[in-house]
Amino acid sequence: MADAKVIPFDDDRSRSGSASRPARRRTGAGSGGGRGDGSTAPVSALPGGRLPESPSDGAEGAQDPQRPQEEAVGGVGAPADAGGGWDRRIAGGLAFLRRRVTGDYEVDEFGYDKEFTDQVLMSALRPLADKYFRVEVKGIENIPSDGGALIVANHSGTLPLDGLMLQVAVHDNHPAERHLRLLAADLVFHLPVVNELARKAGHTLACAEDAQRLLELGEIVGVMPEGFKGIGKPFGDRYKLQRFGRGGFVSTALRAGAPIVPCSIVGAEEIYPMIGNAKTLARLLGFPYFPITPTFPWLGPLGAVPLPTKWTIQFGEPIPTDGYPPEAAEDPMLMFNLTDQVREQIQHTLYKLLVQRRSVFF
């Protein structure tokens, strides 16, 4: 299998030390509206319309054979019951597979694969968000349409499904369909398979250097400062925010001049009610904790199925940081105050959403 191209963010920095390869134009496997002999498929008139006099008059059935097939995936631009809808889907899928086999796709220096994320990962996670957890998103307008921003959210749920649902929520609900680049713990990148998928999804190490670089490049970056303290807390402490660390995320936002968007997630706490922690087994496996829930490990793999709780994700008003001087990032008192402000805003919103919630499952 051919190697994927790595497209660095800029020309003056390369982590590998090797020269960047020029990007190649991505081409599809051919349009579903043409024929193998080069002729154009017959065009049917729409109800109440006229047939165009020539293919060049804008007929949708005559596509440029050099046009990439990404738009064909999912029948974009055509009704589901259109005669050529499934043909275009199949052609798009085959074109996607061909690019994966030949290596004709692009990744950035962090390993982010936008095409794979959009067409595979998002498609797999979307039913979980829309149908299973029925995620309701509020305040999406608080995320800027362009430029960098740091989303700071609470963390919970025993397994980090809240980060994945947050990623889907931002992309599918924002008018600009922005992609969230999550900062993940070291453990994520030490696990086989998970490591590769996390890189392709745009996740990167939770370090100040990577976060600042992404923010300066205009990316939406997500961080959950509670870390394992939040995701592995017992069920009795649900929706009680843990310590936010030393405010490193605030320092990063100040250096990049990016706004901080507080985010509160309700519903994730109940998917795996953690009633115990097998600490000895966790140490043997190298995990920060080993959860015991009412269903796991008693029911085996079936116990790993999350409960279908109803989720709400609310984005609060952004906290601007571009008005501070450059040396503000080194002021510990300022970082403490901003960190406390973000934490209090998230906690207050959590309590507010809990009061409004009718039921855990509805």
Side-chain angles (χ1 to χ4, degrees), residues 113-312:
D113 187 336
K114 183 178 183 299
E115 182 186 40
F116 183 83
T117 299
D118 285 342
Q119 299 192 20
V120 178
L121 297 181
M122 285 294 177
S123 298
L125 294 172
R126 192 168 289 119
L128 188 63
D130 294 344
K131 304 299 183 183
Y132 196 77
F133 293 134
R134 294 146 292 148
V135 178
E136 179 183 0
V137 179
K138 300 180 180 180
I140 194 69
E141 66 276 3
N142 290 317
I143 300 177
S145 298
D146 51 49
L150 182 67
I151 296 178
V152 182
N154 59 303
H155 206 12
S156 62
T158 305
L159 291 181
L161 294 181
D162 52 356
L164 299 177
M165 295 301 100
L166 182 61
Q167 191 173 10
V168 176
V170 171
H171 178 266
D172 287 3
N173 291 274
H174 197 280
E177 296 184 348
R178 304 206 65 180
H179 286 272
L180 179 66
R181 307 291 294 270
L182 286 169
L183 304 181
D186 295 359
L187 178 62
V188 173
F189 301 101
H190 292 160
L191 297 174
V193 181
V194 175
N195 169 32
E196 186 69 19
L197 291 177
R199 287 291 186 188
K200 288 183 177 296
H203 305 172
T204 188
L205 281 172
C207 66
E209 180 186 7
D210 287 357
Q212 183 177 345
R213 183 166 175 76
L214 289 171
L215 288 173
E216 291 174 345
L217 288 161
E219 298 284 352
I220 298 293
V221 179
V223 62
M224 295 174 167
E226 292 176 282
F228 290 122
K229 299 188 302 292
I231 197 175
K233 63 178 176 286
F235 187 65
D237 292 336
R238 60 192 181 278
Y239 298 116
K240 297 177 182 178
L241 292 183
Q242 306 299 300
R243 186 171 175 268
F244 266 24
R246 301 177 181 178
F249 68 91
V250 171
S251 176
T252 301
L254 286 171
R255 287 190 174 93
I260 300 173
V261 182
C263 176
S264 302
I265 304 174
V266 165
E269 294 275 15
E270 295 89 1
I271 60 174
Y272 296 111
M274 186 170 164
I275 59 176
N277 178 16
K279 296 182 179 180
T280 301
L281 185 56
R283 285 195 296 269
L284 290 174
L285 297 175
F287 295 158
Y289 57 88
F290 188 89
I292 297 177
T293 74
T295 58
F296 183 84
W298 327 114
L299 300 182
L302 186 61
V305 177
L307 297 178
T309 58
K310 173 71 170 63
W311 287 36
T312 302

Side-chain angles (χ1 to χ4, degrees), residues 32-33 41-42 44 46 75 77-90:
S44 301
L46 295 172
D81 58 349
W86 284 107
D87 290 342
R88 284 191 292 273
R89 294 189 185 198
I90 294 173

Side-chain angles (χ1 to χ4, degrees), residues 40 66 174 320 328:
T40 304
Q66 297 299 323
H174 197 280

